[in-house]
Amino acid sequence: MRKIVIAGNWKMNKTVAESVQLATEVVTAARDVSKVVVAIAPTYLALAKVAEVVKGSNVKLAAQDVHWENQGAFTGKVSADMLKEIGVDFVIIGHSEQRSYFGETDETVNKKVKKVQSLDMTPIICIGETLAERKDGRLEGVLTMQVNGAYAGLSADQALRTVIAYEPVWAIGTGVTATDQEAQEAHAFVRGLLTKLYGDHVAQSISIQYGGSMKPENAAGLLAQKDIDGGLIGGAALKADSFLGIVTPGESLNK
Ligand code: 13P
């Protein structure tokens, strides 16, 4: 059975004090959640403090990025060991903002995935097409490149310890959400790619989140789709009530 994983990507929002406040509210609001895996990803700066807040709760800690090297002269970067030390469970890798603004490639995604896995943390691998790519009929080609790139050299056992986030770039932060059907079609395609790489058992076991203007109003419809196993939430994760408004429909699903 696949897990439903709902993660809040706080991006470059919230000071440390605000992060502690929001994390505290999420922990309280999520205390009865048992089925959905709930995670929050504050900035690097707030991770250590938020780690103290989520400790012993059913809220997991996620980081927004990582570097693939162990240590050294990489100004501005943070290593997987550093994340592991403070109790990070998930690491978001290859977000479209990283890809478009900071030079992330499928190759660097792949290196980061391997590094994170070597320390028993779970990568959340982000993929997704731009509007121009979709309009040009390149959706499947782009997703194929991104999935093949991210999973290059990964064994079936390693693949089982990953989560994918399908985030159509045109839906991120725009208020425009993929329809339930558009999202389901892309998710089914991605699962098909995983089947080609690893066979049906592995493909059926990997959770594929949807991301892009997901909110309480559209969460139930998206989460009910056969191949949608959770969400990676930006704007709506910045308030505990709207974030939980996405988690709650996930809890009541019978999938
Ligand atoms: P929004 O929910 O703000 O569209 O952001 C989605 C996202 O990029 C999560 O990683």
Side-chain angles (χ1 to χ4, degrees):
M1 269 313 274
R2 296 193 291 272
K3 291 234 162 72
I4 296 175
V5 185
I6 298 184
N9 175 9
W10 296 358
K11 307 190 179 184
M12 196 174 74
N13 292 291
K14 307 281 175 192
T15 65
V16 175
E18 288 166 350
S19 298
V20 166
Q21 171 73 29
L22 177 56
T24 307
E25 289 170 16
V26 171
V27 163
T28 306
R31 64 182 178 272
D32 295 327
V33 173
S34 57
K35 215 166 125 190
V36 173
V37 178
V38 179
I40 52 178
T43 65
Y44 279 150
L45 196 63
L47 269 176
K49 283 279 186 201
V50 169
E52 289 168 20
V53 177
V54 301
K55 199 169 181 188
S57 79
N58 54 4
V59 176
K60 305 280 184 201
L61 190 62
Q64 296 179 19
D65 189 26
V66 66
H67 192 55
W68 59 86
E69 292 289 349
N70 291 335
Q71 64 204 20
F74 300 100
T75 301
K77 299 299 173 201
V78 166
S79 76
D81 293 294
M82 297 169 191
L83 299 178
K84 182 72 185 176
E85 185 193 34
I86 57 167
V88 166
D89 303 291
F90 292 96
V91 183
I92 298 169
I93 295 174
H95 193 279
S96 68
E97 288 146 19
Q98 278 289 127
R99 291 179 191 259
S100 61
Y101 305 140
F102 304 113
E104 184 92 276
T105 63
D106 293 328
E107 200 182 350
T108 59
V109 168
N110 180 249
K111 287 189 199 178
K112 291 176 179 183
V113 168
K114 287 174 176 159
K115 188 72 215 172
V116 158
Q117 285 210 319
S118 73
L119 292 171
D120 281 331
M121 295 181 287
T122 304
I124 296 178
I125 301 166
C126 301
I127 57 172
E129 81 290 0
T130 63
L131 190 57
E133 288 165 342
R134 179 173 272 260
K135 282 190 169 159
D136 289 353
R138 287 163 56 209
L139 168 66
E140 296 189 350
V142 168
L143 295 180
T144 303
M145 287 248 302
Q146 291 175 336
V147 169
N148 288 347
Y151 285 82
L154 259 66
S155 67
D157 189 49
Q158 284 172 300
L160 281 170
R161 293 183 287 114
T162 61
V163 170
I164 291 183
Y166 167 66
E167 300 201 298
V169 179
W170 46 273
I172 295 178
T174 57
V176 180
T177 318
T179 63
D180 296 348
Q181 197 189 339
E182 282 169 334
Q184 165 56 28
E185 278 170 15
H187 280 235
F189 179 76
V190 171
R191 202 174 303 288
L193 293 173
L194 295 171
T195 306
K196 277 191 203 137
L197 288 174
Y198 297 107
D200 207 40
H201 167 69
V202 173
Q204 291 299 330
S205 305
I206 296 176
S207 299
I208 307 177
Q209 302 174 309
Y210 169 80
S213 298
M214 199 166 173
K215 46 189 180 253
E217 294 76 21
N218 58 29
L222 287 161
L223 292 172
Q225 303 304 309
K226 180 168 162 276
D227 288 292
I228 300 184
D229 315 307
L232 187 57
I233 323 298
L238 296 175
K239 290 210 168 88
D241 57 352
S242 56
F243 186 50
L244 265 292
I246 296 168
V247 172
T248 307
E251 269 293 281
S252 57
L253 279 174
N254 205 2
K255 276 175 120 180

